[in-house]
Amino acid sequence: MIEVEKKFILSEGDKEKLLEGADFVGEVKLEDAYYDKPDFSLIKSDRYLRNRNGRFELKLPVSSEMSDVRMDTYQELEDDEEIKEALGLGGGSIEIELDKAGYSPVAEYSSVRRKYKRGEYTIDIDEVSYGYSILEIEVMVNELEGVDAGGKKILDLVESLGLDVDLTKDIRGKLLEYLFREKPDTYEDIVKYWRELGTTGL
Ligand code: V4E
C-alpha cells in the first residue's frame, strides 16, 4: 500500500465540516528529532531522517505524476538495518554510525496528534510545541491504483465539502515551519534549492 497525504491549514468552521461524522481514533504525543549533515544534504535530496519517540524512521520519496497539486508520497523505513543501508552507513549501532558519518539533530519539537477516521480517509490534527497547528488528510491506495488515485481522492473530498483552501498553494509542514522560524537562512537555502528543481511550490 502507498500512503498519500496532503497538509492543510483550515478555519475552525472547515475543520468542523471535515470532522462531521468522523470517528475520533485517539491522541498521541510525538517527540521528533530530525537529523542531517551540516550542509542539509539529506533534506535537500527530499529524504528525512528522524527519531520519533525513540525510534529512527527514514522517509524516502515515491514519485508522483501530479503536477499542479503537490501530494506527499513517501515510503518509510523503520528498521535500523534498512535505514543504515539506505544511507550507506556501517554496521555499528545506528546512533554511532550516524555520528561517525556527520549526522546530528537539526530540529527538535513535540506535537500532540489527534487522529480521526472519516470513511477511507484518516485525518490528523497536530498541535506543535513551538505554537503551530496543521491538519493532514491521508488515504491509502494500492500500488496498482497508484499515487495519483490517492491524490484525486483527497481533492475530491476537499472539493465535495467546499473547504476554503487553495489547492495549488503549498503550505509549510511542521519541519519546514520550524526551520522557517528557527533557522531562516537554512530554510531559504533549502527552498531555493527545491525551487530550482521544481519540487516545491513554496
Ligand atoms: C516530506 C517533507 C518533510 C518531512 C516532514 O514533514 P512534516 O510535515 O514536518 O512531518 P509530519 O510529522 O507531519 O510527518 P508524518 O507524521 O506525516 O510522517 S519536510 C519537507 N518535505 C517535503 C516538502 C516539500 N518539498 N514542499 C512542501 C511544500 N512541503 C513538504
Side-chain angles (χ1 to χ4, degrees):
M1 296 292 276
I2 310 170
E3 189 183 278
V4 182
E5 51 187 54
K6 182 146 184 77
K7 296 186 189 309
F8 300 93
I9 292 181
L10 296 185
S11 66
E12 283 307 312
D14 276 354
K15 263 189 219 172
E16 269 177 37
K17 274 192 213 167
L18 181 62
L19 294 181
E20 212 176 274
D23 292 322
F24 176 60
V25 177
E27 183 177 297
V28 280
K29 183 155 188 209
L30 308 174
E31 304 269 2
D32 288 331
Y34 282 85
Y35 284 66
D36 211 329
K37 292 188 178 176
D39 62 359
F40 286 80
S41 51
L42 203 58
I43 293 177
K44 280 183 169 172
S45 66
D46 202 25
R47 294 174 296 165
Y48 307 89
L49 174 67
R50 71 182 168 212
N51 186 303
R52 170 165 283 182
N53 294 345
R55 300 194 53 184
F56 282 95
E57 302 175 348
L58 178 65
K59 267 180 189 273
L60 300 170
V62 175
S63 70
S64 161
E65 296 298 315
M66 273 189 134
S67 51
D68 53 342
V69 180
R70 216 192 80 86
M71 292 284 161
D72 279 338
T73 42
Y74 292 85
Q75 175 200 5
E76 239 172 69
L77 302 184
E78 295 178 346
D79 178 77
D80 286 2
E81 297 304 315
E82 287 181 30
I83 294 173
K84 283 189 288 179
E85 197 185 328
L87 295 176
L89 302 177
S93 81
I94 189 159
E95 288 87 354
I96 287 175
E97 294 298 337
L98 285 172
D99 187 52
K100 271 205 288 191
Y103 291 94
S104 60
V106 294
E108 293 180 70
Y109 47 82
S110 65
S111 323
V112 173
R113 172 167 290 179
R114 293 171 65 80
K115 193 178 276 298
Y116 298 83
K117 193 87 188 145
R118 177 182 172 127
E120 65 179 320
Y121 302 97
T122 301
I123 299 155
D124 287 343
I125 301 181
D126 288 351
E127 302 291 339
V128 195
S129 53
Y130 58 76
Y132 192 52
S133 175
I134 190 157
L135 183 150
E136 186 175 286
I137 303 178
E138 198 179 289
V139 71
M140 301 293 289
V141 285
N142 62 43
E143 280 77 4
L144 290 175
E145 282 179 282
V147 167
D148 294 348
K152 186 168 181 320
K153 283 182 188 191
I154 295 176
L155 301 189
D156 285 349
L157 175 67
V158 166
E159 277 164 8
S160 70
L161 293 173
L163 304 185
D164 181 22
V165 287
D166 180 353
L167 289 165
T168 60
K169 203 166 162 271
D170 272 354
I171 58 157
R172 291 187 290 272
K174 292 182 292 178
L175 174 60
L176 292 177
E177 183 66 20
Y178 176 91
L179 295 174
F180 176 77
R181 293 182 187 198
E182 302 295 329
K183 301 185 179 186
D185 293 346
T186 300
Y187 171 84
E188 281 306 328
D189 181 42
I190 292 169
V191 170
K192 182 167 172 279
Y193 183 84
W194 285 344
R195 281 188 197 127
E196 282 163 9
L197 293 174
T199 55
T200 192
L202 288 169

